[in-house]
Amino acid sequence: MSLILPLIQDNTADVLTEVAKIKKDMGMLWMLLSAILVFFMQAGFTLVESGMTRSKNAVNIAMKNLLDICVGSLTYWMIGYSLMYGSTSNGWFFWSGLFQGKGADLLFQTMFAATAATIVSGAIAGRTKYSTYVIFSVIMTSLIYPIAGGWQWQGEGWLTKMGFIDFAGSSIVHSVGGWAALVAAILVGPRIGKFVDGKVIPIPGHNQILATLGVFILWLGWFGFNGGSQLAWGGDDAIAASNIVLLTNISAAAGGLGALITTWIWYGKPHLAQTLNGALAGLVSITAGCGNMTDIGAALAGLIGGILVVFSIEFIEKKLKIDDAIGAASVHGVVGVWGTLVIGLWGVTGDKGIGLLNGGGFSQLGIQAIGAFAYAIWAIVLAFAVLFTLKKTIGLRVSREIEEKGLDLAEHGTIAYPGKRDRGE
């Protein structure tokens, strides 16, 4: 017996080692597949932004989204990843995640950086210089987003130590992008003809079918955005990631219905563009809490997010007279705050309620509020500093003549729909 026992123990150790290796490999595969899904979200943003704006600016929208993934991939590799996660092995430049065995993680996080920049694109559509946007995209992906992300996701950031929860980025990604979009919209100013004699003049998008397809693509990509943030697969991690994807879908569906019902009551008819924004709001609402929410909690978070986004878009446009061409500040900024705070209302950790309304007290709500406020202030101050400097130097806005003719020809020398005379659709 004394001779057999060591053999059993040795075999057990080998089996456990092999299981750990398989789990690690599956985790890397899950992150890689999730990164691919999040990459595909750039196509969704392109369709949403172009479909909800005029056809004469569709090429410009496409060029900005293409720019974001190109610039984001390089700047985040060169500077952002190390700045965000505190790696000093190769300094802050050309940090090679690939050669340190973290290629999947670097790729996954790169897609988040590109998303934060892309959120700004739609808000200032139709009147912004492309050269100015290039500079802002570089700064957003290399500095603004990575530094803010490190506060929580680095592992030892000040918000992490406080107990702040933002599982996949309602504040870190979406709120940062949303508040930057609001600042950009204010500094660039409204599109020509948007506000006339104090009245809001609708400027409808040229193709709501493209916008709808874009939302479906974003919805699909969000399964990787949230599910991939589990950062592992196998055993309990596989169960957790599967639940996260399920809750993401529930919240998105509830957000879409929330906006649909709200517009049906308010406008007298269900409104497509607002319903699309409602679905996106549902996705943003669950992004922070997708690892800390029950199914009912996710549905309620998404439903409220879908209702909130309708009123937020109306308020920013009609009361504040700010021209956000696609409602980016509302969908990502305002609802990003909601998605962060809701954890403090009915979030859970395992079977334990940590929110105010399910026995957790005010503590988590207060922490979530501090985090949401910090990200909002960071994005607003940094975006203002960068964009105001650009406005006073190279300028933010194209000329009136270029804006009226469309940015596609003037900025890029081509149009999205050859053979069709643009009617400002």
Side-chain angles (χ1 to χ4, degrees):
M1 185 67 179
S2 61
L3 294 176
I4 297 174
L5 186 58
L7 293 175
I8 295 175
Q9 292 174 336
D10 288 344
N11 288 334
T12 301
D14 290 342
V15 170
L16 292 176
T17 300
E18 188 64 26
V19 169
K21 182 178 182 299
I22 292 173
K23 184 177 179 181
K24 180 180 178 181
D25 291 345
M26 289 298 294
M28 291 183 65
L29 178 60
W30 172 240
M31 286 187 65
L32 182 61
L33 293 174
S34 296
I36 292 170
L37 283 173
V38 182
F39 174 89
F40 193 42
M41 290 175 70
Q42 290 295 135
F45 279 116
T46 301
L47 292 175
V48 169
E49 293 172 19
S50 60
M52 287 189 174
T53 54
R54 290 180 166 183
S55 63
K56 61 185 179 181
N57 299 312
V59 169
N60 182 256
I61 292 289
M63 284 294 293
K64 286 194 290 185
N65 280 273
L66 184 60
L67 169 82
D68 287 331
I69 197 66
C70 292
V71 164
S73 294
L74 296 178
T75 58
Y76 195 72
W77 160 63
M78 291 168 61
I79 303 172
Y81 191 93
S82 293
L83 195 58
M84 186 165 171
Y85 289 99
S87 173
T88 57
S89 56
N90 285 327
W92 281 357
F93 297 95
F94 296 100
W95 189 94
S96 179
L98 178 64
F99 295 113
Q100 297 193 27
K102 295 190 176 183
D105 183 62
L106 175 56
L107 180 64
F108 182 67
Q109 301 297 341
T110 295
M111 299 306 111
F112 280 53
T115 296
T118 294
I119 291 168
V120 180
S121 170
I124 55 177
R127 72 268 202 202
T128 308
K129 287 183 177 180
Y130 190 71
S131 57
T132 300
Y133 185 78
V134 170
I135 297 172
F136 182 77
S137 183
V138 169
I139 296 173
M140 184 70 165
T141 54
S142 63
L143 297 174
I144 298 176
Y145 165 74
I147 291 174
W151 296 349
Q152 165 68 6
W153 288 344
Q154 189 266 349
E156 297 181 356
W158 68 277
L159 283 176
T160 306
K161 293 178 180 179
M162 285 185 63
F164 178 72
I165 297 172
D166 190 349
F167 191 86
S170 285
S171 276
I172 296 172
V173 180
H174 295 281
S175 188
V176 166
W179 295 124
L182 183 65
V183 171
I186 293 171
L187 290 178
V188 173
R191 290 165 289 177
I192 296 172
K194 181 61 181 178
F195 302 113
V196 179
D197 297 328
K199 295 182 180 180
V200 178
I201 307 300
I203 303 178
H206 83 278
N207 194 325
Q208 294 196 62
I209 303 305
L210 287 183
T212 302
L213 291 174
V215 169
F216 278 124
I217 291 173
L218 289 171
W219 195 325
L220 171 66
W222 230 289
F223 295 151
F225 199 100
N226 286 358
S229 294
Q230 181 66 25
L231 304 180
W233 187 271
D236 292 340
D237 288 320
I239 295 172
S242 299
N243 287 338
I244 287 167
V245 172
L246 174 62
L247 296 185
T248 299
N249 189 61
I250 288 173
S251 186
L257 283 178
L260 187 155
I261 294 169
T262 301
T263 57
W264 205 335
I265 294 172
W266 195 357
Y267 304 150
K269 294 180 180 179
H271 192 277
L272 176 59
Q274 290 282 42
T275 301
L276 295 175
N277 277 328
L280 295 178
L283 290 162
V284 174
S285 296
I286 194 60
T287 297
C290 55
N292 299 88
M293 202 70 65
T294 65
D295 49 356
I296 295 175
L300 188 56
L303 180 68
I304 295 174
I307 296 170
L308 176 64
V309 78
V310 175
F311 290 105
S312 176
I313 289 173
E314 290 281 325
F315 179 79
I316 289 175
E317 183 178 86
K318 295 183 177 180
K319 299 297 183 181
L320 300 182
K321 295 295 188 295
I322 298 171
D323 183 17
D324 179 348
I326 65 168
S330 296
V331 172
H332 301 279
V334 174
V335 179
V337 171
W338 161 245
T340 305
L341 293 178
V342 70
I343 298 170
L345 293 176
W346 54 75
V348 297
T349 297
D351 296 329
K352 179 184 177 182
I354 58 174
L356 174 64
L357 303 180
N358 59 358
F362 283 95
S363 177
Q364 192 65 48
L365 181 59
I367 293 171
Q368 295 303 113
I370 291 171
F373 181 75
Y375 281 113
I377 294 300
W378 171 259
I380 289 170
V381 171
L382 268 292
F384 180 84
V386 173
L387 292 169
F388 186 78
T389 301
L390 292 173
K391 184 174 183 176
K392 294 298 182 180
T393 52
I394 65 174
L396 296 180
R397 190 166 183 144
V398 298
S399 68
R400 183 182 185 92
E401 181 183 5
I402 291 176
E403 183 176 347
E404 289 177 341
K405 289 182 177 179
L407 275 63
D408 289 358
L409 276 175
E411 293 276 83
H412 310 288
T414 186
I415 58 175
Y417 305 98
K420 172 186 175 182
R421 183 179 179 182
D422 179 70
R423 299 186 293 271
E425 297 176 353

